[in-house]
Amino acid sequence: GGGGGAAGGDEKKESELLKLKKTELKAKCEELKLPTSGTKQVLVDRIEEYEKIAKKTVKEIQELLNEKKIKFPARAKKDDLIKLLLEGEEQKEVEELETATVAHARLVKLKKTQLKKLAKKFDQKVSGTKDELVERLRTCKVTDADIVSVGGGSSSGGGSSS
């Protein structure tokens, strides 16, 4: 008797991903709005993790987020929830997600030329739209000092001209 065929389906998919070139895996990650950093194996794991979570319902994903004490917006779309869960897997601290939002708000205010400078500084690709640059930089630990260094600066706080 042939044992449970359903279980065998997953192994095949794994080797399929490993057959892809790293550039193809990166493209797949970009498609899924996943980080593209890391070794080929890391990319494969990331895609598999994503696909595993993507099969779940929104409710199941929300329950997982609650279990891991990861905050999420009540009206978040499934894609966003998956992303939060994956980010949570990689960096279990909620604080980091919150500082990322702050950084995001600051990055959006910068001009594209300034974003490109920042991207270069963090060894990120400088191509793409402004949105893509912001998204890419959001995953880097961009500090106020970095933003000031490219001429962004925090507009708040009175000018202390000596």
Side-chain angles (χ1 to χ4, degrees), residues 10-71:
D10 285 339
E11 278 84 49
K12 225 193 242 130
K13 182 164 229 172
E14 194 169 355
S15 54
E16 285 302 307
L17 282 175
L18 284 168
K19 278 183 207 159
L20 295 176
K21 293 190 183 75
K22 190 173 175 187
T23 48
E24 293 172 306
L25 288 168
K26 278 191 163 189
K28 197 164 169 60
C29 281
E30 278 180 4
E31 227 173 86
L32 299 171
K33 308 250 190 298
L34 299 173
T36 55
S37 57
T39 61
K40 184 174 173 176
Q41 186 57 55
V42 169
L43 296 175
V44 168
D45 291 345
R46 200 172 279 148
I47 293 166
E48 285 177 352
E49 189 63 32
Y50 177 90
E51 288 175 343
K52 202 164 67 192
I53 297 171
K55 288 185 188 133
K56 299 184 185 300
T57 64
V58 170
K59 198 171 181 349
E60 287 175 319
I61 297 170
Q62 287 175 339
E63 281 166 12
L64 279 172
L65 286 165
N66 282 330
E67 265 169 47
K68 297 185 188 308
K69 312 236 184 308
I70 300 171
K71 292 184 186 136

Side-chain angles (χ1 to χ4, degrees), residues 82-92 97 138:
I82 293 172
K83 214 192 223 157
L84 279 173
L85 193 55
L86 289 172
E87 281 177 12
E89 290 295 329
E90 288 184 5
Q91 50 181 29
K92 302 250 185 289
L97 290 177
R138 215 173 64 137

Side-chain angles (χ1 to χ4, degrees), residues 92-105:
K92 302 250 185 289
E93 283 110 53
V94 174
E95 291 79 52
E96 287 204 20
L97 290 177
E98 286 173 354
T99 49
T101 319
V102 176
H104 185 258

Side-chain angles (χ1 to χ4, degrees), residues 110-130 133-134 136-137 150:
L110 295 178
K111 295 187 182 73
K112 190 172 174 184
T113 49
Q114 294 168 326
L115 289 168
K116 281 189 171 183
K117 277 186 203 163
L118 273 178
K120 221 175 227 150
K121 189 171 179 164
F122 284 97
D123 296 320
Q124 296 289 324
K125 282 196 304 207
V126 294
S127 57
T129 63
K130 182 177 173 175
L133 285 166
V134 167
R136 218 172 281 146
L137 285 164
V150 296

Side-chain angles (χ1 to χ4, degrees), residues 134-151:
V134 167
E135 201 48 51
R136 218 172 281 146
L137 285 164
R138 215 173 64 137
T139 57
C140 305
K141 308 263 182 289
V142 181
T143 63
D144 288 337
D146 295 321
I147 290 174
V148 171
S149 76
V150 296

